[in-house]
Amino acid sequence: MTDRLKIERGSGNVFLDVGFAPEEAQNLQLRSELMTRVERFVKRSGVTQTEAARLLGITQPRLNDLLRGKIDKFSLDALVNMLGHVGMRVQLRVKRAA
């Protein structure tokens, strides 16, 4: 065990860290955050997936895709609409890149 382990500080965006282009990484991170919010809603609501899907304005198979992390199947617009259906408001803040 003479090899030293190299530790590199992350950027704060895992998608950027694994090699996505900056623009795509930012979009993926935003979608991931919104998907997590939908997942939390489903878990905390205590209802079935079918009922949660109805509340979110989508089908149960589509909700299942979201809960399985199929990020490529969801746009920011679709995720914002789902959260709006259950009374959540998404706010956007734009600032200069560091």
Side-chain angles (χ1 to χ4, degrees), residues 4-79:
R4 295 195 57 115
L5 179 63
K6 181 180 176 187
I7 298 174
E8 189 173 318
R9 183 173 302 278
S11 68
N13 181 332
V14 68
F15 299 103
L16 185 62
D17 294 344
V18 298
F20 285 95
E23 297 79 15
E24 187 174 4
Q26 184 176 13
N27 186 286
L28 287 166
Q29 183 177 27
L30 290 170
R31 285 191 280 162
S32 176
E33 289 175 19
L34 294 178
M35 287 174 73
T36 299
R37 295 298 179 123
V38 172
E39 184 177 5
R40 276 191 212 150
F41 163 77
V42 171
K43 286 182 180 177
R44 291 179 179 168
S45 70
V47 298
T48 65
Q49 275 193 23
T50 302
E51 180 61 15
R54 187 188 68 72
L55 294 170
L56 291 162
I58 59 174
T59 64
Q60 187 278 328
R62 187 140 168 83
L63 177 58
N64 195 39
D65 284 342
L66 186 145
L67 296 174
R68 292 174 143 212
K70 295 186 179 181
I71 196 167
D72 57 306
K73 293 190 174 210
F74 298 92
S75 67
L76 285 169
D77 194 44
L79 293 162

